[in-house]
Amino acid sequence: MESIDKFVADFASAVWGLPLVILLIGGGIFLLIYSKFLPFRYLGHSIDLLKGKYDDPNDPGEINHFQALATALSSTVGMGNIAGVAVAIAVGGPGAVFWLWVSAIVGMATKFFTNTLAVMYRGKDSEGKIQGGVMYFIVEGLGRNWKFLAIIFSVAGLIGALPIFNVNQLTKAINSILLEPNGIATGNVSNFSIGVILTVITSIVVLGGLYRISRTVSKLVPAMVVLYFFSVLAILFINFEQLPQYISLIFTDAFAANNYQGDPLFGGLLGGLILLGIRRGAFSNEAGIGTATMAHGASKTSQPIREGLVAMLGPAIDTLVVCTLTALTILVTGVWQTSEASGVALTAKAFGDSIPVFGPYLLLICIAAFSISSLFSYSYYGTKCLSFLIGAKHKHWYNYFYIISIMLGATTEQSIILNLIDGFFALMAIPTMISTLILAPRVMKQAKLYFSQYK
């Protein structure tokens, strides 16, 4: 297992090098400036779209704007927000949070472009059904000569869409919060049992298709965000005297990198800290990775710009709100300095210290909602990738592979799983960002037309 762990870690570090960071963040900054900060100028309009003000039931697509965003958020508002942020702070200290914010702000522009393209260049699968996603806008927008990029994205997506990290962290949370404090032995038997239960729950929803997935998560996502939001507000209120100090520390440590404990991959300690924040940010909000394009590409709309505006809200909700709440909880309670715990266990320690007895159980409810909703959405992404590669009639085979992988997530070490998903996310980002940057002028041409009509 040690040799496998090292191999996977080396693979993730190799693909998450300086070239990818330049492509992901540099490309995002270019899109932000190129669009003249459009995502922020039309924030109010995007919220109106989300509320259904401009919905037309006769538009092409399968699900409405809200369901599309809820489906996308259910895969991003997950363990990346609870466990991923905890990992970032444990390794990089408070400064890592600042670079999470940077990735989110830049990511809003990236999401606008990628998800506008997902509707602009919808393609058809082998059964003649309209589909959206990075692989389709590459082929339809750039032409068949660029299909190799679509294939790279789809192959990487087969692994990147697996639920193994969410399952792993949920299993760890159940063991450490529910079973161990109550004197129940944990280990292979408990992990296997949790895996079986999650497999059954996931199978019921996943095998029902996109409509059942979107209907389920559109109810679950808002509820879990609200519950988590108020739980964290309670903790911050209890520790409000510490709040100004740590908000300030996030900014000062972002450039000092005094607490960075990982191996710097480029540019010394500060470079390593920036890379850590961007990597965890991409894992959290997936801006530039491209998975959300498959959900937003199924939205019922004839106006691509509208879907881009709705999609850009994702990083704001996911990272600027949910990740920030998690980070402040870990910081103000001091557990990032006093505990050896990592991942979800570190967040659980923060909840337990501030809300004795009930805190960890409250977090467990949130974790279960975050994780299970993510399990539903990622299966849809994987089937879309397989459908593109070998035909729509074979896409159901991915669900069986996906469901089996839940057992792997429940019984494997955290580091292997996190690095594996990180690595394949990086491979997905390469074709996504290259194609988006090439097609960006066409998005802006469409945007000028749309906003002239809107005004």
Side-chain angles (χ1 to χ4, degrees):
M1 288 299 291
E2 285 182 9
S3 59
I4 294 173
D5 193 2
K6 186 178 184 306
F7 174 79
V8 175
D10 290 345
F11 157 68
S13 295
V15 288
W16 272 103
L18 184 57
L20 179 62
V21 173
I22 293 172
L23 180 64
L24 201 60
I25 297 300
I29 292 171
F30 167 78
L31 293 173
L32 191 62
I33 297 170
Y34 182 60
S35 67
K36 299 177 182 177
F37 296 85
L38 184 148
F40 302 99
R41 289 190 286 123
Y42 290 98
L43 201 58
H45 182 48
S46 65
I47 293 171
D48 285 340
L49 290 168
L50 186 63
K51 292 191 292 188
K53 187 174 179 180
Y54 299 91
D55 282 0
D56 184 345
N58 297 316
D59 280 342
E62 296 180 70
I63 53 180
N64 63 34
H65 289 303
F66 179 77
Q67 289 173 325
L69 182 63
T71 302
L73 278 176
S74 69
S75 59
T76 58
V77 180
M79 294 309 297
N81 305 83
I82 297 177
V85 173
V87 169
I89 293 175
V91 176
V97 180
F98 176 84
W99 298 109
L100 277 171
W101 292 344
V102 170
S103 77
I105 293 168
V106 172
M108 289 180 72
T110 305
K111 283 262 189 170
F112 169 75
F113 278 86
T114 55
N115 290 286
T116 297
L117 288 169
V119 177
M120 276 180 70
Y121 294 107
R122 289 197 258 214
K124 291 185 178 179
D125 61 21
S126 59
E127 294 178 343
K129 294 180 180 177
I130 294 176
Q131 301 287 354
V134 172
M135 62 286 242
Y136 290 100
F137 75 61
I138 288 174
V139 173
E140 300 297 324
L142 294 177
R144 294 282 167 179
N145 291 337
W146 294 84
K147 189 175 180 179
F148 71 95
L149 283 180
I151 293 172
I152 292 171
F153 174 85
S154 299
V155 171
L158 295 177
I159 305 298
L162 291 178
I164 48 181
F165 180 71
N166 285 303
V167 172
N168 177 271
Q169 291 297 289
L170 179 55
T171 303
K172 190 174 181 180
I174 292 172
N175 282 336
S176 61
I177 296 173
L178 185 63
L179 302 184
E180 290 172 2
N182 291 295
I184 301 172
T186 58
N188 293 333
V189 174
S190 67
N191 293 346
F192 183 83
S193 301
I194 294 167
V196 170
I197 294 169
L198 292 176
T199 299
V200 172
I201 294 171
T202 307
S203 300
I204 293 170
V205 176
V206 162
L207 299 179
L210 176 62
Y211 178 70
R212 185 181 291 177
I213 292 170
S214 63
R215 188 175 59 178
T216 302
V217 300
S218 64
K219 295 175 181 176
L220 191 57
V221 169
M224 71 183 183
V225 171
V226 169
L227 176 62
Y228 191 68
F229 182 77
F230 282 106
S231 300
V232 171
L233 282 184
I235 294 174
L236 296 181
F237 179 77
I238 292 168
N239 299 278
F240 72 94
E241 291 180 354
Q242 306 292 328
L243 205 52
Q245 171 193 345
Y246 281 108
I247 291 174
S248 173
L249 198 58
I250 287 171
F251 289 94
T252 56
D253 270 26
F255 300 95
N258 294 328
N259 294 303
Y260 182 71
Q261 300 168 13
D263 294 326
L265 298 178
F266 70 96
L269 290 177
L270 179 57
L273 180 60
I274 294 171
L275 181 57
L276 172 72
I278 292 169
R279 188 164 157 179
R280 295 278 62 79
F283 186 82
S284 171
N285 61 48
E286 81 81 62
I289 306 301
T291 53
T293 61
M294 293 180 268
H296 287 287
S299 178
K300 286 180 72 69
T301 183
S302 57
Q303 294 282 0
I305 297 300
R306 288 182 180 173
E307 198 56 38
L309 290 170
V310 170
M312 76 179 188
L313 294 172
I317 297 169
D318 176 278
T319 306
L320 296 180
V321 176
V322 183
C323 283
T324 300
L325 291 174
T326 302
L328 289 175
T329 301
I330 292 169
L331 292 174
V332 300
T333 54
V335 296
W336 65 286
Q337 290 178 308
T338 60
S339 175
E340 294 296 320
S342 64
V344 69
L346 188 62
T347 311
K349 182 78 167 59
F351 269 69
D353 285 359
S354 295
I355 311 175
V357 183
F358 298 107
Y361 294 106
L362 197 59
L363 178 64
L364 184 58
I365 293 171
C366 295
I367 289 170
F370 276 95
S371 298
I372 292 171
S373 66
S374 298
L375 295 184
F376 301 155
S377 297
Y378 271 117
S379 68
Y380 173 65
Y381 298 154
T383 58
K384 293 262 281 195
C385 290
L386 189 64
S387 175
F388 179 82
L389 291 170
I390 63 174
K393 67 179 181 180
H394 301 297
K395 67 181 181 182
H396 66 281
W397 290 110
Y398 183 81
N399 283 331
Y400 304 119
F401 172 59
Y402 182 90
I403 289 166
I404 291 169
S405 76
I406 293 174
M407 297 303 302
L408 179 66
T411 55
T412 309
E413 288 296 319
Q414 171 188 310
S415 59
I416 296 177
I417 286 173
L418 184 59
N419 284 321
L420 183 69
I421 299 300
D422 266 354
F424 280 93
F425 263 30
L427 294 178
M428 295 171 74
I430 295 168
T432 299
M433 290 304 297
I434 289 173
S435 56
T436 300
L437 290 168
I438 295 172
L439 293 168
R442 301 189 204 177
V443 174
M444 288 310 299
K445 184 178 179 181
Q446 185 91 8
K448 288 176 183 177
L449 179 63
Y450 175 80
F451 288 116
S452 65
Q453 294 172 342
Y454 167 66
K455 288 177 181 177

